Amino acid sequence: MDILFLYYTKTMTLTINLSEKLETKLRSIAEQRKISQSALAELLLAKQLEPDLTLLESWLQESDPETITEQQNTWYELQQGLEQHKTGFRELFPPEEQGKSW
């Protein structure tokens, strides 16, 4: 089943493999509420994720520029320490991946 997941101002298409039992339940509840299955899935996900997202956003808003700079410097120092003491040859934090996965 394909579910369109909309949250805030960005749109994301999300494919979720549901068991037959869960798909049946989702379809049944959506029919009872007279909304689409994708709209119900969006509501359920938003309800589940909202507290976490709100907390993260509040942390970002509360951080002053000095604290952010300090945290970035600490992260950089941690990366350098991990790179220096790694056991393999592969880079743990390759520059070309910065901003994509870490």
Side-chain angles (χ1 to χ4, degrees), residues 51-94:
D52 295 335
L53 293 173
T54 302
L55 179 61
L56 289 173
E57 288 172 357
S58 72
W59 288 345
L60 290 173
Q61 290 172 358
E62 292 172 4
S63 296
D64 61 90
E66 187 176 307
T67 301
I68 293 171
T69 301
E70 182 182 330
Q71 291 170 347
Q72 289 171 336
N73 290 339
T74 301
W75 172 239
Y76 178 76
E77 291 171 12
L78 175 62
Q79 287 175 312
Q80 297 306 308
L82 290 171
E83 285 289 354
Q84 290 173 1
H85 297 92
K86 67 183 178 194
T87 56
F89 295 102
R90 184 179 68 84
E91 282 186 273
L92 298 175
F93 303 98

Side-chain angles (χ1 to χ4, degrees), residues 75 79 90 92-102:
W75 172 239
Q79 287 175 312
R90 184 179 68 84
L92 298 175
F93 303 98
E96 64 273 7
E97 294 298 316
Q98 184 172 1
K100 295 180 189 174
S101 59
W102 49 272

Side-chain angles (χ1 to χ4, degrees), residues 31-45:
E31 287 173 1
Q32 287 173 3
R33 295 185 181 191
K34 295 181 172 60
I35 61 175
S36 69
Q37 294 172 37
S38 61
L40 176 59
E42 178 186 352
L43 290 171
L44 294 171
L45 285 169

